[in-house]
Amino acid sequence: QVRVVDSGGGLVQAGGSLRLSCAAVGRTISFVDAAWYRQAPGKQRELVAEVSSNGSTNYADSVKGRFTISRDNAKNTVFLQMNSLKPEDTALYNCEQQFGDQYWWGQGTQVTVSS
């Protein structure tokens, strides 16, 4: 069964770090584009970071310089390294992988940053 599994969230103090993982099960990620989104309670879902199949990246202004998205095709996994976390980064983070007109979503992983 083809699916995406998100992991790595947790509770961390402001200024701390977390690394999220987005693993594809049942297929390769070599040709997919991938992105991390987040949604906080009462707010719209927003794009956090994205990485294309050729490795180019894009970030939301709010996370530039603090977050890094990367991919390890050999492990079929996309990562989001989050440093200098702030309370406003608290949200449910979801990974999306896309190939052509096919989309796969992870189940989400909760990130909570305490002040």
Side-chain angles (χ1 to χ4, degrees):
Q1 181 181 3
V2 176
R3 58 193 177 101
V4 171
V5 179
D6 299 335
S7 63
L11 173 63
V12 64
Q13 288 188 331
S17 299
L18 285 172
R19 188 174 81 153
L20 306 184
S21 298
C22 169
V25 179
R27 59 165 170 79
T28 178
I29 68 164
S30 298
F31 307 106
V32 305
D33 299 326
W36 282 98
Y37 290 81
R38 67 185 181 187
Q39 187 166 20
K43 294 187 177 181
Q44 288 189 330
R45 186 172 64 125
E46 64 171 338
L47 175 67
V48 176
E50 55 188 347
V51 58
S52 68
S53 57
N54 65 11
S56 61
T57 58
N58 182 51
Y59 297 90
D61 288 342
S62 60
V63 306
K64 281 181 181 177
R66 299 189 298 123
F67 290 11
T68 302
I69 190 169
S70 63
R71 60 193 299 151
D72 186 335
N73 290 345
K75 295 182 178 180
N76 290 329
T77 303
V78 175
F79 300 100
L80 183 68
Q81 178 67 43
M82 305 187 296
N83 299 327
S84 302
L85 283 161
K86 304 175 181 180
E88 50 263 44
D89 294 318
T90 295
L92 180 67
Y93 286 69
N94 282 94
C95 173
E96 176 198 84
Q97 296 186 8
Q98 176 200 356
F99 178 70
D101 60 355
Q102 296 182 78
Y103 291 82
W104 299 271
W105 284 89
Q107 80 285 6
T109 185
Q110 178 67 36
V111 172
T112 303
V113 184
S114 62
S115 57

